[in-house]
Amino acid sequence: MSAPDIYDPAYVRDVFDRCSGKYIAFSTLCSLGFTERWRRQCTEMLADLPPGARGYDFMAGTGEVWPHLLRAYPDLGEITAVDISSGMHRRAMERLHAMRAHKIAFIEDDVLASELPEASADFVISTFGLKTFAPAQHERLANLTAHVLRPGGRFAFIEASDPRGWWLRWLYLFHLKAVLPAIERIMLRGAQDFAMIGTYSTRFGNASGFALMLEDAGLSADYRRFFFGCATGVCGHKQPA
Ligand SMILES: C[S@@+](CC[C@H](N)C(=O)[O-])C[C@H]1O[C@@H](n2cnc3c(N)ncnc32)[C@H](O)[C@@H]1O
């Protein structure tokens, strides 16, 4: 049997459908709280959204970034979350009810196959949604970001990355490739789905290539590193009209 294409949207959807029940707990625990800090920093990269701003949360998962966004921008107009996984979508709905967040809409779809309207957003944010795409898909995502942003609109992406050159890189990779899969095997009775997230992260490298694609799509893009490169991100804007 041939190896599965781990970047096939249907394959990725199934991984996250299976992870969805334990996603929040696993991601917070196994990143030692860093994912929460990086979501907040991603929100800060958006910088100064105007009151009433409307935009997208791509690869939204169960809406982990929404509390950060709503805290930083209490006057936000609307967040439209897009995610391919019905498991994540279901949990996002539970979270919506808990937060009574009338400002949030959810689209269950492959973001790269979606037909989001041109110039429909003041912002695009995405936390930890880059790693499950191959380079050709990153290019489509960069073009989609440029397509949906209004002139002057802002974007921010962040992703767990390979901290090349950091003297403790070996420890970080050991944590991702050995410790997390072991915890998963024990806690989740042999499952290997979160271990896949480790595989995606180490293959991803960092967000510098994606930053160049966003520039090629006509956006101004600023590449950023967080905590010795264990996460990297990119933020910027579309030229005002
Ligand atoms: C690692 S989770 C990140 C979730 C959340 N943004 C966070 O901060 O934790 C990646 C999410 O991307 C979604 N995803 C992967 N490929 C997608 C695609 N082609 N279209 C839409 N969502 C996708 C997955 O279903 C999953 O919920």
Side-chain angles (χ1 to χ4, degrees):
M1 206 170 70
S2 59
D5 172 7
I6 66 166
Y7 297 104
D8 177 349
Y11 182 90
V12 174
R13 183 198 57 215
D14 291 349
V15 168
F16 282 98
D17 275 348
R18 290 190 299 266
C19 284
S20 57
K22 301 254 172 12
Y23 179 75
I24 300 175
F26 204 87
S27 112
T28 310
L29 198 75
C30 294
S31 73
L32 310 173
F34 270 96
T35 45
E36 275 299 284
R37 175 173 162 178
W38 289 332
R39 287 184 189 109
R40 178 178 51 75
Q41 289 174 315
C42 188
T43 302
E44 287 165 5
M45 283 199 287
L46 274 181
D48 291 339
L49 291 180
R54 308 164 86 84
Y56 296 105
D57 175 13
F58 286 164
M59 286 71 78
T62 68
E64 288 75 13
V65 82
W66 303 339
H68 299 280
L69 259 182
L70 293 170
R71 199 172 308 126
Y73 307 106
D75 296 334
L76 210 67
E78 189 182 59
I79 307 168
T80 301
V82 186
D83 200 283
I84 198 171
S85 155
S86 53
M88 295 297 239
H89 184 176
R90 209 168 36 250
R91 264 140 194 123
M93 288 299 124
E94 290 161 14
R95 186 191 275 259
L96 279 183
H97 289 303
M99 288 169 63
R100 281 187 237 129
H102 54 282
K103 293 182 175 180
I104 304 171
F106 201 106
I107 300 175
E108 187 182 316
D109 199 1
D110 173 358
V111 73
L112 299 180
S114 63
E115 293 183 358
L116 301 175
E118 189 175 358
S120 51
D122 301 304
F123 69 90
V124 168
I125 192 164
S126 184
T127 52
F128 309 113
L130 293 176
K131 63 181 157 297
T132 50
F133 289 132
Q137 293 165 308
H138 285 142
E139 207 172 318
R140 281 161 55 201
L141 184 66
N143 290 330
L144 176 68
T145 304
H147 170 80
V148 298
L149 280 178
R150 295 196 180 101
R154 302 192 55 83
F155 64 85
F157 292 82
I158 201 162
E159 184 55 274
S161 302
D162 182 347
R164 282 177 206 138
W166 185 36
W167 72 282
L168 285 177
R169 174 180 183 249
W170 63 273
L171 190 61
Y172 179 71
L173 295 186
F174 178 72
H175 177 71
L176 271 186
K177 290 182 168 174
V179 179
L180 295 195
I183 295 177
E184 180 179 24
R185 271 196 303 277
I186 296 161
M187 268 178 53
L188 302 181
R189 299 191 199 95
Q192 296 204 8
D193 294 313
F194 285 100
M196 274 311 298
I197 297 181
T199 304
Y200 285 119
S201 297
T202 45
R203 284 198 187 184
F204 169 67
N206 62 49
S208 59
F210 184 56
L212 294 177
M213 292 174 191
L214 288 160
E215 280 182 355
D216 287 346
L219 301 170
S220 99
D222 191 6
Y223 173 64
R224 304 270 176 95
R225 292 171 86 241
F226 300 90
F227 198 71
F228 304 101
C230 291
T232 59
V234 53
C235 60
H237 64 272
K238 186 169 183 168
Q239 287 306 326

